[in-house]
């Protein structure tokens, strides 16, 4: 254990013993560095760790204060158990009906798929965009056709290298957001009628893409903590003609699960034995709360079967719609498909993001964003524990900004969604994350917005609605 971790553990012990209580100010960085005889930077690291874990909260120009902790421990939902049968999808109309109702700007955005826009460095990005437009080469309209802007692709390749994956620039294709990357990858390796292995539950855009391309899905059991069940996947590969897998191994949407590194290695090895490609949706991989980033399955890929898709939309620039794929052996096929559909991604946002990454704005922003999300997770979880009824189960994500919640079985999530909307609160009901519209008593909540009084009152109201539905069902 490092020195700063020891200091953090000491503060946690004092909180658990009741010596430090919610609202108490913990020793200042200066006084703590004197008492522990360490550099102030060491104490700062300890306090930042405590903040990321939800034990303390920083107040500007005031210091760090003990936060309220969970008033009760909540169980985690159990692993899903879908039947391993292929399904022809018919979900888009249902999903659109649900999502259309969650767009109101006045609603408490617990059902949103996006974090708060106020978490992103809009002014700094605007400067990068202005600089890019002044320097942009008129010939870039031609030279930045697929696979995309050279400098941006080089910056992305450097980030892969730092993460332990040796990805050549030639393999990277810039796309109009991650969803285009994911869809192009799906098209590159399938034909209508083919079978795609997906998580259960899974992100509804995955279901819609499979439906649009006239593919079939097979749902694989997925654990709320560790992701896809590899035993079930191995059995499915033996019994079904699966053409490709589409998984999120880092902070899966909606579960928030994080597959351990050893399981990622085993996943890549399993698929390599069957020569089945993996589309890795990794849009939340940068939003981790631990000190070390999670590994990408791409870092274990030796056969070019992993198509790693990511985006800047969730980490820094939602409106720029710039994503990419490191497509391995399928890079040329993805480029050609992009030529035949969107032709190319918009050039100015690519150049702006290349400038932002190159001149050091990205990492400091990510550190601030991760701290904010970790704090919001702790506060949202606290409120759910206070306001939701007994029997509620709650995931404990280590990154991203989604909570997956299992409600008492008599609560219908779609009916709750409609009732909550009438009170100005949006939620995402569980059935939109299922090929068979399962998870009738599950909801996904977004903690990616500052925990204001409006957020807390929204959760309190939602808890009362759930309790009311339970009473009316008896």
């Amino acid at each position: 254990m490092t020195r700063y971790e020891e200091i953090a553990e000491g503060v946690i012990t004092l909180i658990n013993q009741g010596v430090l209580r919610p609202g108490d100010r913990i020793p200042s960085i200066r006084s703590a560095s004197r008492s522990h005889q360490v550099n102030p930077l060491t104490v700062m690291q300890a306090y930042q760790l405590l903040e990321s874990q939800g034990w303390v909260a920083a107040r500007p120009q005031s210091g760090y204060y003990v936060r309220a902790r969970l008033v009760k421990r909540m169980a985690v939902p159990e692993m899903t158990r879908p039947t391993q049968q292929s399904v022809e999808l018919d979900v888009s109309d249902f999903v659109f009906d649900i999502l259309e109702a969650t767009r109101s700007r006045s609603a408490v955005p617990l059902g949103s798929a996006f974090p708060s826009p106020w978490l992103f460095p809009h002014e700094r990005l605007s400067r990068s965009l202005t600089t890019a437009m002044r320097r942009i080469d008129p010939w870039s309209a031609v030279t930045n056709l697929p696979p995309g802007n050279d400098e941006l692709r080089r910056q992305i390749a450097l980030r892969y290298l730092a993460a332990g994956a040796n990805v050549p620039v030639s393999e990277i294709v810039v796309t109009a957001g991650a969803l285009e990357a994911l869809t192009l990858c799906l098209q590159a390796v399938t034909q209508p009628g083919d079978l795609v292995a997906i998580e259960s539950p899974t992100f509804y855009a995955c279901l819609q893409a499979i439906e649009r391309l006239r593919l079939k899905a097979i749902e694989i059991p997925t654990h709320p903590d560790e992701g896809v069940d590899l035993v079930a996947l191995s059995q499915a590969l033996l019994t079904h003609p699966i053409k490709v897998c589409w998984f999120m191994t880092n902070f899966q949407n909606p579960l928030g699960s994080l597959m351990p590194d050893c399981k990622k290695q085993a996943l890549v090895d399993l698929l390599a034995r069957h020569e089945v490609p993996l589309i890795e949706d990794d849009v939340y991989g940068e939003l981790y709360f631990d000190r070390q980033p999670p590994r990408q399955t791409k870092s274990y890929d030796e056969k070019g079967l992993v198509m790693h898709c990511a985006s800047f939309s969730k980490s820094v620039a939602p409106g720029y719609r710039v994503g990419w794929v490191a497509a391995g052996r399928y890079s040329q096929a993805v480029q050609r498909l992009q030529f035949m559909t969107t032709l190319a991604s918009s050039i100015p946002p690519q150049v702006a993001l290349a400038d932002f990454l190159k001149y050091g704005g990205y990492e400091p922003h990510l550190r601030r964003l991760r701290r904010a999300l970790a704090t919001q997770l702790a506060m949202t979880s606290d409120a759910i524990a206070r306001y939701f009824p007994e029997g509620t189960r709650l995931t404990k994500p280590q990154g991203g900004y989604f909570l997956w919640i299992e409600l008492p079985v008599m609560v219908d999530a779609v009916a709750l969604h409609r009732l909550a909307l009438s009170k100005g609160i949006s939620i995402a009901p569980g059935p939109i994350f299922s090929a068979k519209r399962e998870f009738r008593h599950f909801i996904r909540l977004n903690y990616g917005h500052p925990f204001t009084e409006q957020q807390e009152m929204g959760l309190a109201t939602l808890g009362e609605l759930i309790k009311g539905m339970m009473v009316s069902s008896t």
Side-chain angles (χ1 to χ4, degrees), residues 211-286:
E211 178 183 342
R212 183 174 67 82
L213 295 175
R214 292 182 293 161
L215 303 169
K216 296 180 182 179
I218 181 167
E219 296 177 304
I220 308 298
T222 306
H223 194 279
D225 286 334
E226 297 190 351
V228 167
D229 182 348
L230 296 188
V231 174
L233 175 61
S234 179
Q235 182 63 34
L237 289 166
L238 291 172
T239 55
H240 297 277
I242 294 172
K243 293 294 185 180
V244 64
C245 298
W246 177 333
F247 297 150
M248 300 179 73
T249 63
N250 295 325
F251 318 124
Q252 194 256 12
N253 179 5
L255 291 175
S257 59
L258 173 62
M259 183 178 284
D261 290 345
C262 59
K263 282 190 66 174
K264 290 175 183 171
Q265 173 79 72
L267 170 63
V268 172
D269 291 346
L270 172 64
L271 296 180
R273 289 196 297 273
H274 289 270
E275 284 288 320
V276 172
L278 169 64
I279 300 172
E280 181 178 17
D281 183 352
D282 196 26
V283 294
Y284 307 107
E286 297 275 22

Side-chain angles (χ1 to χ4, degrees), residues 71-75 384-393 406-411 463 466-467 470:
V71 297
K72 60 181 179 182
R73 292 190 176 275
M74 305 184 74
I384 291 170
R386 289 197 305 274
Y387 299 126
F388 281 37
E390 291 290 337
T392 300
R393 292 172 176 256
E406 181 179 359
L407 301 172
V409 69
M410 69 284 293
V411 178
I466 294 167
K467 293 172 185 176
M470 292 171 64

